[in-house]
């Protein structure tokens, strides 16, 4: 909880002023969530995932040297830059950590960054990339009927994972404050920190923001459940019957981080890329021998929920779900994670 | 703006080259590759424990997790015995001496040769080409012979021609500090050794669990039928170590492919006690 | 945390729903079926859930309304494999399934393509009045959030939101384009019918959806294709919802040889959608499941629609996408 002790100084300014200040920053790119513009309730488009886990992400560059192909730590930008006729196009070496402002994502998505760090921090490419992200989170005034962040330990006012927190009361003015050192740093750089402070104006709101953060009752309850009893519970059978085993839930999920790695080579050059993969797919676990440890659909459906609500807890003491509800909205067959949580809770 | 060290990349393998290839099996499906680093200095960075594995990378084809067959004391090259199965291992099998490839590792844990195994009688049970990391382990035990009690090796393959490391087994047979039992599934011409499946031989040898640890590697079916004779002889699940195989990609416990319940075989394993495996979903 | 949502249906569909429940219970009781593939109410009123009933009392969970997005034929091979194969066939128990026009055409197709056996299924036919589009619903109520309660009448549908506001919409405004252009809403194969048959509908412009693409030149089409498919995340919901896509290993998953790349760059996503469409050529019933389940709103159905049109023109209006029981070549 990096945010709780950070001193807060509230700033009030218009969206336009914030945008133009950000626009004026050199060397910092930015992306604006649709939520920032319209403050529509709910998580909106999952833009943070594309920055946490861009795909395809080049891991290595492959180059023919003599009769063998060898590995290079260079980055290539896109497949079309892999032009076999052009020996120079691919030598784009990124030697700096790009700083990118993500503007206007919701607390659920900001929290996903915080949770994914737990799982992925050993991956240098991931860590360096997310170190360069500066999160301007937009707190929620109200949610959608599918939002359930508070049930999984988050909240509409949860600022974890954010660098700057923003409140939009719909009057065209934003109220914002830094919740991390990075947030202080960027607000200073934006030159909006010293002048426009409104002391104490939103003290109530900020105190209030801590009230519902981190309800751990579900976490505690799931932690105390016996893993194999949950695993062998009969209800997975019914969930499996409906499931199509597509990857919509996993790919829309901000805390699904599984990936696959593949080589693509064209003549003299190639790249090793990573891209999103899903434990819903039978290929995910298929051995070269043909043996498949999760060969039946029930294993795969169960794995996704068990990972989020039991295995991840075992490893990291947190639920790997931020309650954004995207999987609920987009599941073609109404497999509702809230219902599955309820079934898991009922297992004794 | 922070500088990015592009060499600080979990997925960048050591540049290496094939120095030697030994065809291990009569059907050509198993080859042992001796691999050396292109840059001698990389040897300084390389330390592995018996039981660990590495990702062998064929640029343009991909990576495959392969157990390290050489012992930590063999410093003139790494040995990997590779079964031809998928895209990458097929490409490896087609490579010649001198060909370049990548080695990413060492990855995973190893057998606890410095911990729980120390001072114990060691029973190694292996079937088929799963003997690879057990070769590394056996050589380690022999190098530190005084640290361990009795060493028993039970190893089986389908036919005499499918047995790995045949010359070394001849050397080990000559030693009086290893109890060696090599078996083949069915009678074969010119074979004068043991005949029978590994579980049968385990049953006959009936190793004592007293102050002992068993290290088992082999196909699932062999492991399944090896457990009852051990249990009958009084072995407890925490005395039995298994080395798992699962589909792997990242090798650092993130990508999810090798997960079995809460564990990542690549990072938490591949070596686990049977007692631990009993507590998690068996998705391997 | 999540309760079964409130969905009320009044009128024609209510009669069908009651009759469906009654018949399925009777079929269970008589031992005709051991399983039944249908829809039940879910946690979201606009998204009923496909399920497999296994006990007579589960017949009371069945629902019938205009929000049934997915073609249930998709579940037939799996249900067969998981529940009937290897079982003693002597008791003759079958899997029951409810089928509209296109669902029944896909069931027929699965039979012809040897994926399922006609004798193992008991089909209850219901003529379709057209299913509604989830995406149309979302965009219509963009500012209201998601409806918490739905009341369906014969022609109007009431959506009730969390602030208790009510929006009343004529259902035809939300009916999916594939349903609007469907000439065969009646089941073509069934053991019994619930409700009456409508007969063949005459559609004046069955392919007007794709006219705007056909009017473009090659560059324009390429631009349209790239733009319309750019958001694909390759979750394969379209493929997995498609009753035609039953291959044990899809061409996108093959690794030896690997036919196409795995990334979401246009080279790969466009190829995936093109090849999948061609795999469905002459087989697609235009059921619209692919489009209905896409979380990104990609119009992949327009590709198969165009192929249906091409097949019609190239093969002398055989109407390949529309199964005819009397077709001697089928």
């Amino acid at each position: 909880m990096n945010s709780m002790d950070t001193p807060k100084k509230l700033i009030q300014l218009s969206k336009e002023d914030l945008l133009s200040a950000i626009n004026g920053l050199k060397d910092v790119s930015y992306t604006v969530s649709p939520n920032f513009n319209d403050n529509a309730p709910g998580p909106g488009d999952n833009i943070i995932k594309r920055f946490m886990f861009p795909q395809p992400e080049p891991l290595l560059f492959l180059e023919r040297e003599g009769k063998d192909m060898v590995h290079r730590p260079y980055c290539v930008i896109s497949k079309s830059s892999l032009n076999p006729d052009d020996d120079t196009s691919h030598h784009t070496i990124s030697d700096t950590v790009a700083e990118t402002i993500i503007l206007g994502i919701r607390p659920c998505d900001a929290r996903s960054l915080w949770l994914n760090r737990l799982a992925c921090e050993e991956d240098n490419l991931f860590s360096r990339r997310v170190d360069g992200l500066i999160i301007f989170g937009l707190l929620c005034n109200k949610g959608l009927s599918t939002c359930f962040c508070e049930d999984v330990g988050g909240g509409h006012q949860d600022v974890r994972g954010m660098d700057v927190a923003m409140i939009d009361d719909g009057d065209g003015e934003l109220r914002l404050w830094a919740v991390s050192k990075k947030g202080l740093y960027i607000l200073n750089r934006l030159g909006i920190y010293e002048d426009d402070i409104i002391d104490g104006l939103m003290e109530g709101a900020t105190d209030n923001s801590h009230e519902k953060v981190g309800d751990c009752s579900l976490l505690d309850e799931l932690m105390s459940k016996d893993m194999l009893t949950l695993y062998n519970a009969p209800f997975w059978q019914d969930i499996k019957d409906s499931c199509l085993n597509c990857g919509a839930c996993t790919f829309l999920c901000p805390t699904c981080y599984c990936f696959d790695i593949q080589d693509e080579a064209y003549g003299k050059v190639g790249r090793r890329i990573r891209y999103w993969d899903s434990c819903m797919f039978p290929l995910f676990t298929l051995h070269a021998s043909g043996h498949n440890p999760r060969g039946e659909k029930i294993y795969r459906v169960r794995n996704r929920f068990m990972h989020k609500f039991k295995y991840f807890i075992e490893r990291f003491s947190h639920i790997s779900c931020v309650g954004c509800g995207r999987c609920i909205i987009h599941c073609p067959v109404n497999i509702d994670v809230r219902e599955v949580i309820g079934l898991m809770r009922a297992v004794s | 703006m922070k500088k990015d060290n592009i060499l600080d990349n979990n997925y960048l393998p050591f540049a290496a080259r094939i120095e030697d290839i030994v065809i291990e099996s009569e059907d050509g499906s198993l080859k042992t590759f001796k691999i050396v680093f292109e840059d001698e200095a990389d040897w300084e960075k390389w330390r592995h424990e018996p039981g660990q594995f590495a990702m062998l990378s064929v640029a343009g084809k991909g990576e495959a997790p392969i157990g390290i067959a050489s012992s930590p004391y063999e410093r003139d090259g790494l040995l990997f015995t590779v079964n031809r199965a998928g895209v990458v291992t097929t490409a490896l099998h087609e490579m010649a001496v001198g060909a370049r490839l990548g080695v990413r590792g060492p990855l995973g844990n190893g057998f606890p040769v410095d911990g729980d195994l120390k001072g114990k009688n060691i029973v190694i049970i292996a079937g088929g080409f799963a003997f690879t990391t057990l070769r590394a382990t056996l050589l380690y035990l022999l190098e530190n012979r005084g640290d361990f009690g009795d060493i028993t090796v039970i190893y089986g393959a389908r036919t005499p021609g499918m047995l790995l490391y045949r010359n070394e087994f001849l050397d080990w047979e000559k030693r009086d500090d290893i109890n060696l039992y090599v078996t083949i599934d069915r009678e074969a011409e010119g074979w004068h050794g043991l005949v029978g499946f590994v579980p049968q031989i385990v049953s006959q040898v009936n190793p004592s669990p007293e102050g002992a640890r068993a290290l088992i590697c082999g196909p699932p079916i062999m492991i399944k039928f090896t457990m009852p004779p051990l249990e009958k002889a009084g072995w407890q699940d925490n005395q039995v170590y298994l080395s798992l195989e699962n589909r792997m990609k990242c090798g650092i416990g993130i990508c999810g492919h090798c997960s079995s319940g809460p564990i990542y075989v690549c990072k938490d394993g591949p070596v686990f006690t049977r007692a631990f495996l009993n507590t998690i979903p068996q998705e391997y | 945390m999540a309760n079964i949502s409130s969905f009320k249906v009044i009128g024609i569909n209510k009669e069908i729903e009651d009759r469906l429940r009654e018949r399925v219970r009777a079929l269970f009781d008589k031992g005709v079926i051991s399983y039944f593939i249908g829809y039940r109410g879910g946690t979201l009123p606009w998204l009923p859930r496909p399920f497999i009933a296994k006990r007579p009392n589960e017949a009371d969970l069945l629902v019938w309304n205009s929000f049934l997005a997915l073609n249930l034929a998709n579940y037939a091979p799996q249900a067969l494999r998981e529940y009937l194969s290897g079982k003693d066939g002597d008791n003759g128990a079958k899997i029951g399934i409810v089928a509209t026009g296109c669902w029944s055409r896909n069931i027929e197709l699965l039979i012809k393509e040897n994926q399922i056996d006609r004798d193992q299924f008991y089909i209850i036919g219901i003529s379709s009045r057209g299913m509604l589009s989830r995406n149309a619903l979302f965009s219509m109520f963009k500012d209201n959030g998601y409806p918490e309660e739905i009341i369906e009448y014969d022609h109007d549908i009431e959506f009730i939101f969390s602030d208790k506001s009510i929006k009343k919409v004529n259902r035809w405004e939300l009916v999916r384009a594939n349903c609007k252009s469907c000439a065969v809403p009646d089941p073509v194969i069934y053991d019994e019918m619930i409700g009456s048959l409508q007969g063949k509908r005459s559609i004046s412009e069955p392919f007007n959806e794709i006219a705007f693409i056909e009017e473009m030149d090659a560059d324009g089409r390429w631009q349209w294709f790239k733009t319309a498919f750019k958001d694909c995340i390759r979750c394969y919901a379209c493929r997995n919802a498609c009753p035609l896509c039953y291959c044990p290993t899809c061409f996108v998953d093959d690794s030896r040889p690997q036919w196409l790349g795995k990334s979401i760059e246009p080279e790969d996503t466009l190829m995936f959608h093109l090849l999948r469409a061609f795999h469905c050529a002459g087989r697609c019933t235009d059921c619209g499941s692919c489009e209905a389940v896409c979380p990104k709103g990609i119009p992949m159905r327009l590709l198969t629609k165009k192929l249906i049109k091409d097949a019609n023109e190239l093969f002398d209006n055989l109407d390949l996408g529309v199964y005819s029981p009397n077709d001697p070549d089928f």
Side-chain angles (χ1 to χ4, degrees):
Chain A
M1 302 209 189
N2 60 351
S3 60
M4 297 307 155
D5 310 319
T6 312
K8 287 175 287 293
K9 288 187 175 176
L10 284 157
I11 299 156
Q12 184 166 354
L13 82 169
S14 71
K15 287 180 186 177
E16 293 71 30
D17 288 347
L18 178 62
L19 266 178
S20 72
I22 289 173
N23 213 4
L25 283 180
K26 287 198 174 68
D27 310 325
V28 179
S29 53
Y30 67 95
T31 296
V32 183
S33 159
N35 296 83
F36 179 78
N37 295 325
D38 59 12
N39 203 21
D45 192 17
N46 195 348
I47 61 170
I48 181 79
K49 186 161 183 172
R50 296 200 294 267
F51 286 91
M52 291 188 286
F53 309 110
Q55 66 158 338
E57 179 194 7
L59 301 176
L60 297 172
F61 172 61
L62 312 171
E63 187 174 33
R64 191 165 291 282
E65 204 178 78
K67 61 184 193 324
D68 298 319
M69 268 210 149
V70 295
H71 311 80
R72 306 271 191 232
Y74 301 163
C75 292
V76 272
I77 303 306
S78 71
K79 185 178 280 189
S80 47
S81 71
L82 284 183
N83 180 355
D85 302 324
D86 181 354
D87 285 337
T88 57
S89 62
H90 46 256
H91 288 269
T92 320
I93 306 170
S94 162
D95 66 349
T96 51
V97 177
E99 287 186 323
T100 305
I101 290 175
I102 310 286
L103 189 61
I105 60 169
R106 295 295 186 185
C108 48
D109 283 355
R111 187 147 181 263
S112 76
L113 175 62
W114 187 78
L115 288 170
N116 289 333
R117 268 184 193 272
L118 295 175
C120 305
E121 65 181 353
E122 270 184 47
D123 187 311
N124 299 333
L125 301 172
F126 168 84
S127 293
R128 278 204 299 276
R129 188 169 52 244
V130 299
D131 281 349
L133 296 182
I134 303 166
I135 309 297
F136 281 62
L138 183 62
L139 303 189
C140 293
N141 305 332
K142 59 170 184 171
L144 292 170
S145 61
T146 46
C147 292
F148 64 108
C149 53
E150 288 171 4
D151 297 324
V152 289
H156 288 186
Q157 310 286 309
D158 187 357
V159 296
R160 283 172 291 177
M162 296 180 190
D163 298 305
V164 175
M166 307 186 291
I167 294 175
D168 177 357
D169 284 336
D171 55 3
E173 290 286 288
L174 289 169
R175 288 154 184 85
L176 54 103
W177 69 97
V179 290
S180 73
K181 282 182 182 163
K182 211 194 278 179
L184 287 168
Y185 149 84
I186 197 72
L187 289 185
N188 276 324
R189 277 196 66 189
L190 286 167
I192 54 175
Y193 206 25
E194 288 85 1
D195 304 332
D196 298 307
I197 299 168
I198 304 168
D199 285 324
L201 187 70
M202 289 298 291
E203 282 303 320
T206 51
D207 288 338
N208 188 30
S209 74
H210 294 205
E211 209 169 87
K212 285 180 177 172
V213 167
D215 173 2
C216 293
S217 59
L218 177 63
L219 176 66
D220 294 342
E221 202 179 323
L222 289 168
M223 202 180 275
S224 69
K225 300 278 181 196
D226 178 65
M227 186 191 299
L228 291 177
T229 310
L230 283 175
Y231 184 84
N232 292 314
F235 63 79
W236 300 115
Q237 186 71 25
D238 291 332
I239 298 174
K240 176 269 300 175
D241 276 345
S242 305
C243 181
L244 292 177
N245 246 213
C246 74
C249 51
T250 50
F251 287 174
L252 296 169
C253 176
T255 57
C256 271
Y257 50 79
C258 289
F259 61 86
D260 199 5
I261 299 175
Q262 178 145 78
D263 284 10
E264 293 183 337
Y266 309 86
K268 287 188 286 186
V269 290
R271 60 179 186 169
R272 180 162 293 164
I273 54 166
R274 89 165 120 200
Y275 52 91
W276 303 351
D277 205 351
S278 168
C279 61
M280 291 291 116
F281 299 155
L283 231 65
F284 192 72
T285 46
L286 181 67
H287 291 200
S289 67
H291 169 63
N292 196 339
R294 293 201 281 270
E296 298 297 325
K297 192 163 79 173
I298 187 166
Y299 287 88
R300 302 191 286 273
V301 178
R302 174 171 52 194
N303 185 69
R304 177 159 190 276
F305 294 109
M306 286 292 283
H307 174 84
K308 296 195 169 302
F309 301 104
K310 188 62 186 173
Y311 306 154
F312 196 90
I313 295 173
E314 294 278 312
R315 290 188 86 85
F316 303 111
S317 304
H318 283 280
I319 294 170
S320 176
C321 170
V322 294
C324 71
R326 289 187 180 94
C327 58
I328 305 171
I329 297 164
H330 290 289
C331 174
V333 295
N334 186 239
I335 293 175
D336 188 321
V337 62
R338 296 169 297 181
E339 194 180 0
V340 178
I341 293 170
L343 291 165
M344 290 176 81
R345 283 184 114 144
V347 169
S348 53
Chain B
M1 190 168 277
K2 279 184 275 186
K3 280 285 171 193
D4 187 357
N5 178 7
I6 57 166
L7 293 172
D8 193 12
N9 177 337
N10 304 74
Y11 302 97
L12 181 66
F14 291 117
R17 131 179 81 76
I18 299 173
E19 193 175 80
D20 193 23
I21 300 173
V22 174
I23 298 171
E24 293 281 353
S25 62
E26 60 190 356
D27 66 353
S29 65
L30 298 166
K31 285 181 180 178
T32 296
F33 296 87
K34 183 178 181 181
I35 290 171
V36 294
F37 296 130
E38 297 262 58
D39 183 349
E40 281 288 319
D42 286 343
W43 276 113
E44 297 308 313
K45 299 176 199 157
W46 183 276
R47 291 278 179 282
H48 76 268
E49 289 172 13
Q52 285 191 291
F53 69 98
M55 285 286 183
L56 293 189
S57 173
V58 181
K61 299 290 180 187
E63 292 183 312
I66 310 286
I68 304 168
S70 49
S71 105
Y73 296 105
E74 295 174 277
R75 299 294 288 175
D76 60 333
L78 297 170
L79 295 179
F80 295 91
T81 301
V82 180
N83 178 40
R84 184 186 190 126
V87 174
V88 178
T89 52
T90 299
L92 264 170
H93 267 251
E94 283 160 8
M95 290 166 81
V97 170
R100 289 192 285 177
L101 76 173
V103 179
R104 188 157 67 85
L107 300 169
N109 64 0
F111 292 104
V113 287
D114 233 4
D116 186 42
L117 300 189
K118 220 162 188 180
K120 304 291 194 316
N121 297 325
I122 305 295
V123 180
I124 288 174
I125 301 172
F129 65 94
F131 194 74
T132 63
T133 58
L134 290 174
R135 176 193 179 273
T137 310
L138 182 58
L139 289 177
Y140 180 94
L141 300 180
L142 295 175
E143 187 77 24
N144 299 279
R145 191 63 190 84
D147 290 346
F148 302 93
D150 293 345
I151 297 175
T152 303
V153 177
I154 300 168
Y155 173 48
R158 282 205 309 278
T159 63
M162 295 302 286
L163 289 165
L164 295 178
Y165 317 129
R166 268 164 283 175
N167 290 336
E168 284 175 292
F169 270 98
L170 291 175
D171 293 340
W172 295 331
E173 240 167 26
K174 291 177 196 144
R175 297 177 66 132
D176 57 7
D177 58 355
I178 315 177
N179 308 310
L180 196 62
Y181 304 91
V182 179
T183 181
I184 59 165
D185 289 357
R186 272 172 224 88
E187 297 276 359
E189 218 181 299
W191 178 258
H192 305 295
L194 294 167
V195 175
F197 296 114
V198 167
Q200 292 171 270
I201 307 300
V202 171
S203 192
Q204 287 163 23
V205 173
N206 200 27
S208 163
E210 205 63 43
R213 295 291 181 264
L215 319 179
I216 306 180
C217 295
I221 189 84
M222 183 208 91
I223 293 172
K224 186 180 167 194
F225 287 104
T226 298
M227 293 320 301
L230 287 181
E231 278 162 10
K232 209 173 143 197
W235 286 77
Q236 301 295 311
D237 285 341
N238 60 5
Q239 293 177 282
V240 175
Y241 286 88
L242 299 169
S243 182
L244 304 187
E245 289 182 7
N246 249 4
R247 183 182 175 98
M248 293 176 189
K249 286 291 184 166
C250 74
I252 53 175
I254 301 173
C255 80
H257 290 262
C258 71
S259 69
S260 174
I263 59 151
Y264 292 90
V265 173
C266 71
K267 185 181 176 185
D268 306 320
V271 176
F272 299 95
T273 63
R274 187 157 189 257
F276 174 76
L277 293 176
N278 288 340
T279 68
I280 62 161
Q282 300 191 355
E283 296 181 344
Y284 46 82
Chain C
M1 272 199 286
N3 299 316
I4 294 303
S5 62
S6 176
F7 193 107
K8 224 181 280 174
V9 51
I10 293 163
I12 305 169
N13 279 343
K14 182 62 187 161
E15 286 165 29
I16 292 174
E17 185 176 281
D18 287 344
R19 181 75 184 143
L20 180 64
R21 291 176 180 184
E22 192 183 305
R23 285 302 302 144
V24 171
R25 184 186 270 277
L27 290 166
F28 266 115
D29 286 342
K30 282 190 214 144
V32 177
I33 58 169
S34 321
Y35 305 93
F36 190 82
I37 304 172
Y39 272 98
R40 55 173 291 179
T43 59
L44 303 169
W46 34 271
L47 191 59
R49 179 184 305 173
F51 85 120
I52 300 177
K54 303 181 187 76
R55 286 168 288 275
N57 61 347
E58 287 177 340
D60 292 341
L61 297 172
L62 288 161
V63 297
W64 194 258
N65 55 54
S66 296
F67 292 79
L68 314 177
L70 199 79
N71 184 336
L72 289 181
N74 189 46
Y75 288 93
Q78 176 207 331
L80 195 58
R81 206 162 46 239
E82 292 187 357
Y83 291 110
L84 277 201
S85 70
K87 294 244 174 92
D88 185 5
D90 287 342
N91 64 12
K94 301 176 183 207
I95 296 173
I97 187 168
V98 60
T100 63
C102 53
W103 305 356
S104 76
R105 277 179 272 136
N106 276 105
I107 291 171
E108 179 66 30
L109 202 87
L110 287 167
I111 295 165
K112 296 287 182 190
E113 294 182 357
N114 296 316
Q115 297 305 305
I116 58 173
D117 194 336
R118 176 70 183 90
D119 297 339
Q120 290 180 295
F121 284 87
Y122 187 93
I123 304 166
I124 297 182
I126 298 176
S127 187
S128 172
R129 298 172 66 227
M131 296 299 169
L132 307 192
S133 157
R134 209 179 353 160
N135 287 333
L137 186 93
F138 288 167
S139 51
M140 183 176 277
F141 300 127
K142 201 164 163 279
D143 301 326
N144 304 75
Y146 299 119
E148 304 212 321
E149 201 181 333
I150 295 177
I151 305 172
E152 178 172 354
Y153 300 92
D154 284 352
H155 300 291
D156 292 327
I157 299 172
E158 276 180 11
F159 297 93
I160 301 158
F161 296 89
S162 57
D163 59 0
K164 303 295 164 211
S165 65
I166 300 173
K167 308 272 174 198
K168 197 171 192 169
V169 182
N170 182 294
R171 67 188 297 283
W172 201 245
E173 285 181 49
L174 291 169
V175 167
R176 309 193 306 203
N178 64 301
C179 297
K180 283 183 175 165
S181 65
C182 171
V184 193
D186 292 336
V188 296
I189 172 175
Y190 51 85
D191 293 289
E192 62 176 277
M193 276 293 294
I194 292 178
S196 53
L197 295 168
Q198 300 176 51
K200 199 162 171 166
R201 292 174 66 225
S202 98
I203 309 293
S204 55
E205 297 285 348
F207 298 104
N208 60 0
E209 276 181 275
I210 50 171
F212 78 101
I213 310 169
E214 290 175 321
E215 282 163 11
M216 296 175 184
D217 60 11
D219 283 345
R221 288 179 200 179
W222 177 235
Q223 285 309 322
W224 171 80
F225 186 35
K226 282 201 294 192
T227 311
F229 287 71
K230 72 174 175 9
D231 291 333
C232 176
I233 50 174
R234 289 181 76 173
C235 69
Y236 301 130
C238 50
R239 176 192 73 183
N240 290 17
C242 177
L244 304 175
C245 282
Y246 52 69
C247 291
T249 305
C250 178
F251 70 97
V252 297
D253 291 333
D254 255 334
S255 63
R256 305 173 79 185
Q258 186 180 326
W259 304 105
L260 79 162
K262 303 270 194 178
S263 84
I264 54 157
E265 286 176 303
E267 290 87 337
D268 297 325
T269 49
L270 299 183
M271 189 66 93
F272 159 62
H273 284 287
L274 266 187
L275 283 180
R276 201 190 80 82
F278 274 103
H279 280 189
C280 301
R283 304 163 67 223
C284 176
T285 61
D286 203 21
C287 76
S289 284
C290 50
E291 201 170 73
V293 300
C294 178
K296 293 290 180 181
I298 291 165
M300 69 287 284
R301 193 178 57 80
L302 297 186
L303 300 183
T304 42
K305 191 84 182 176
K306 170 67 176 161
L307 284 167
I308 292 172
K309 187 183 181 201
D310 284 355
N312 283 354
E313 286 168 359
L314 290 165
F315 299 100
D316 200 20
N317 283 316
L318 270 179
D319 255 1
L320 289 171
V322 180
Y323 167 76
S324 157
N326 307 320
D327 180 353
D329 292 331
F330 194 76

